[in-house]
Amino acid sequence: MTPKKIIIDTDPGIDDAMAIFLALRSPEVEVIGLTTIYGNVYTTLATMNALHLLEVAGRTDIPVAEGSHVTITKGTKLRIADFVHGSDGLGNQNFPPPSGKAIKQSAASLHPGEVTVVALGPLTNLALAIELDPAFAKNVGQIVLLGGAFCVNGNVNPASEANVFGDPEAADIVFTSGADVVAVGINVTHQVVLTDADREKLANSNGKFAQYLCKIMGIYYSYHHDAYSTRGVYLHDPTTVLAAVNPSLMTYTEGVVRVQTVGITRGLTILYNKQKRFEEVTEWSDKPTVKVAVTVDAPAAVKLIMDRLMES
Ligand SMILES: O=c1[nH]cnc2c1ncn2[C@@H]1O[C@H](CO)[C@@H](O)[C@H]1O
């Protein structure tokens, strides 16, 4: 089988680093580029980190294109999750700057054709691509995105998940674009936990990626220990990569997703499950549907992620 070509849109980020390495170790996919976005860090640092991670992996053949520095509405008051990932995004390790440079092309102008885009940060670049080219939504292969909290609390506040909260207007554009979208929300990623014992196992393996990740993961663990009662960390981004690598690890439902953009529930994702025919026209009527992940085989997902990181 020829591997699925993917572009990873990313804001590295500790779980982004895991996700990128996992994708590089997965024969089912071929990573043909990384595009960057703010979220866990600002976009400039996301670009540096993406270049750095490819250098660590010995894959400087993969191009990095820098994405937007502002939201789709030109907002500059960005919410950066440095308290989750460290001020450098990679566990405050003071790595030397990368020697490589981003390519000249902007992230939004990369025309992926049949390519699958795996989006791990706020959805600004994809929304820009959709605005730039009305045919983009139909031409892009599939958009597998980490975003939303479907019927559960968010992780920024009770209403909103971090990536959607980062740019709710962009998320609403992507969800209603008509593209083949698979959304993996934190209702699913919160089931995929790397425990303290799993971390030991990674640390004791000879895997190059496992070793590197254990070095940077301390702050991600201490943040989870403080913020949640779970004894371990959520594997948001690697789980989303798995939805591209092995979609059968999850089950999905299909419906129209809209994003709240105002008020105290800004960033809330609401899926219309089509179980009622409403009398009135609603903001969900006549909008294209997307697939939303509902369940995950969590033990199989954790095992696959760990095996591939330890093999490296
Ligand atoms: O509490 C949090 N605030 C902000 N971002 C978070 C938090 N926890 C995890 N993430 C980051 O947001 C994405 C999933 O929503 C993941 O990329 C994760 O690294």
Side-chain angles (χ1 to χ4, degrees):
M1 217 181 68
T2 44
K4 199 189 279 187
K5 288 186 171 32
I6 68 170
I7 289 177
I8 305 178
D9 193 61
T10 175
D11 55 341
I14 293 166
D15 56 331
D16 297 73
M18 285 185 102
I20 291 166
F21 291 158
L22 170 68
L24 294 177
R25 293 290 311 151
S26 294
E28 300 86 347
V29 296
E30 178 192 350
V31 182
I32 63 162
L34 301 183
T35 56
T36 61
I37 191 64
Y38 61 85
N40 297 324
V41 293
Y42 289 102
T43 304
T44 307
L45 187 50
T47 304
M48 304 258 290
N49 288 351
L51 291 163
H52 162 78
L53 292 168
L54 291 175
E55 286 176 12
V56 169
R59 290 302 307 273
T60 49
D61 56 304
I62 298 173
V64 176
E66 185 156 270
S68 185
H69 296 261
V70 297
T71 68
I72 192 86
T73 56
K74 308 267 187 301
T76 51
K77 223 182 110 227
L78 309 173
R79 180 182 182 277
I80 299 302
D82 52 1
F83 52 93
V84 182
H85 302 272
S87 56
D88 67 349
L90 297 174
N92 292 330
Q93 293 299 306
N94 291 315
F95 290 120
S99 19
K101 292 234 166 344
I103 58 173
K104 289 272 173 310
Q105 221 173 336
S106 77
S109 71
L110 274 185
H111 275 241
E114 287 298 296
V115 168
T116 294
V117 179
V118 179
L120 304 178
L123 295 165
T124 319
N125 290 334
L126 280 168
L128 284 170
I130 290 163
E131 284 193 343
L132 213 64
D133 174 9
F136 175 90
K138 282 283 156 272
N139 290 341
V140 66
Q142 191 170 53
I143 296 172
V144 178
L145 65 88
L146 168 64
F150 296 95
C151 301
V152 297
N153 275 171
N155 56 1
V156 171
N157 60 47
S160 188
E161 179 276 332
N163 286 345
V164 172
F165 190 79
D167 197 345
E169 286 82 5
D172 195 57
I173 290 171
V174 173
F175 280 123
T176 57
S177 66
D180 179 1
V181 171
V182 177
V184 182
I186 58 174
N187 47 303
V188 163
T189 60
H190 278 189
Q191 297 173 46
V192 186
V193 175
L194 193 75
T195 64
D196 297 4
D198 294 333
R199 181 192 184 186
E200 286 285 286
K201 216 170 136 190
L202 287 181
N204 291 329
S205 81
N206 291 323
K208 175 175 90 172
F209 291 155
Q211 290 295 327
Y212 175 91
L213 290 167
C214 284
K215 233 179 4 197
I216 69 172
M217 262 186 324
I219 187 168
Y220 199 55
Y221 266 87
S222 48
Y223 163 75
H224 280 76
H225 286 161
D226 290 345
Y228 301 96
S229 43
T230 318
R231 303 305 294 176
V233 296
Y234 297 132
L235 297 182
H236 304 283
D237 297 6
T239 302
T240 307
V241 164
L242 285 188
V245 163
N246 185 354
S248 66
L249 285 173
M250 289 170 213
T251 62
Y252 309 85
T253 186
E254 188 156 347
V256 177
V257 171
R258 296 301 310 266
V259 180
Q260 172 65 281
T261 54
V262 295
I264 63 168
T265 51
R266 181 168 159 81
L268 179 71
T269 44
I270 297 287
L271 165 72
Y272 166 42
N273 61 14
K274 304 234 159 174
Q275 283 175 14
K276 181 178 190 220
R277 283 176 299 283
F278 292 105
E279 209 54 48
E280 274 126 60
V281 171
T282 76
E283 298 291 347
W284 286 255
S285 304
D286 305 322
K287 291 282 189 290
T289 60
V290 299
K291 294 183 204 73
V292 175
V294 182
T295 67
V296 58
D297 182 346
V302 173
K303 182 170 186 313
L304 189 57
I305 293 166
M306 286 185 61
D307 284 350
R308 291 196 169 171
L309 295 175
M310 291 191 300
E311 267 163 20
S312 53

